[in-house]
Amino acid sequence: QRSHAKAVNFGIIYGISAFSLAQDIGVFQSEAKAYMDSYFAKYHGVRDYMKRIVEQAKADGYVTTLFGRRRDLPELRSSNFNLRSFGERVALNMPIQGTAADVMKLAMVRVHDRLRREVPEAKLLLQVHDELIVECPEAIAEQAARLLTEEMEGVMQLSVPLVAEAHWGKNWLEAKG
């Protein structure tokens, strides 16, 4: 159920069709459409946002992240339906995914700088989606985790809080468990 819920939530936000959703979650197209209709009935602001962002993208020819990074969308003016539809999906996806990427990049810089100043034994190793992997001696793991949480949650102010969790272990699998 969790994987279906994620597929519905993320698929809808990024402009998935009932046909594609049905294929993704293994249901009939009519059932996928019912999921989507139910979602939009409950979260009507999402449909309004989606309509508004695509209309603005068509008018401007581009979309931007909250940080102002811009993605031009010449596809929106194409006479080819499939290319135009792709442009609409990008118009929906880029402001959200692009802003998330911008937030992670900024968090990485802030975490790296603060670790270097305050916990030089800790090293930022890797980013995986919305996770940062830090290597440090076990004795300072709690301090490094606290720093990570503070920087990731405070990287920017939104109308909703950014929530971060930090876990540690001898390897990534242990830390995730």
Side-chain angles (χ1 to χ4, degrees), residues 4-16 39 93 96-97:
H4 281 133
K6 284 178 73 172
V8 171
N9 280 314
F10 288 108
I12 287 173
I13 290 170
Y14 299 131
I16 199 168
Y39 182 96
N93 182 288
I96 298 167
Q97 289 288 87

Side-chain angles (χ1 to χ4, degrees), residues 10 13-14 49 64-65 91-102:
F10 288 108
I13 290 170
Y14 299 131
Y49 164 80
T64 60
T65 67
L92 292 170
N93 182 288
M94 191 277 187
I96 298 167
Q97 289 288 87
T99 296
D102 293 348

Side-chain angles (χ1 to χ4, degrees), residues 101-112:
D102 293 348
V103 166
M104 283 305 296
K105 289 173 190 160
L106 185 56
M108 287 174 65
V109 169
R110 289 175 55 160
V111 165
H112 171 75

Side-chain angles (χ1 to χ4, degrees), residues 41-169:
K42 185 170 184 171
Y43 304 108
H44 57 280
V46 173
R47 186 187 299 268
D48 296 342
Y49 164 80
M50 291 170 68
K51 185 177 179 188
R52 188 174 65 251
I53 199 80
V54 170
E55 287 173 356
Q56 190 67 50
K58 286 178 179 177
D60 296 341
Y62 64 89
V63 290
T64 60
T65 67
L66 288 179
F67 290 88
R69 192 162 48 90
R70 179 175 160 159
R71 166 70 153 82
D72 291 324
L73 291 169
E75 300 90 348
L76 294 174
R77 291 188 175 86
S78 175
S79 59
N80 180 301
F81 173 81
N82 289 332
L83 199 52
R84 233 181 14 260
S85 296
F86 169 76
E88 290 176 4
R89 289 190 304 277
V90 172
L92 292 170
N93 182 288
M94 191 277 187
I96 298 167
Q97 289 288 87
T99 296
D102 293 348
V103 166
M104 283 305 296
K105 289 173 190 160
L106 185 56
M108 287 174 65
V109 169
R110 289 175 55 160
V111 165
H112 171 75
D113 290 346
R114 193 161 162 210
L115 284 172
R116 193 175 49 195
R117 283 191 321 271
E118 297 177 28
V119 193
E121 306 87 4
K123 303 292 180 223
L124 180 59
L125 293 182
L126 183 66
Q127 174 203 349
V128 179
H129 303 292
D130 61 350
E131 298 181 24
L132 296 180
I133 312 300
V134 171
E135 184 176 69
C136 68
E138 192 173 345
I140 61 169
E142 191 170 332
Q143 180 184 4
R146 189 171 41 256
L147 182 148
L148 268 166
T149 302
E150 289 171 8
E151 290 303 323
M152 290 183 79
E153 289 184 348
V155 71
M156 72 178 295
Q157 296 299 310
L158 296 170
S159 60
V160 295
L162 287 175
V163 178
E165 296 177 4
H167 305 277
W168 59 87

Side-chain angles (χ1 to χ4, degrees), residues 10-28:
F10 288 108
I12 287 173
I13 290 170
Y14 299 131
I16 199 168
S17 67
F19 175 79
S20 294
L21 180 61
Q23 286 187 320
D24 288 352
I25 64 176
V27 298
F28 290 111

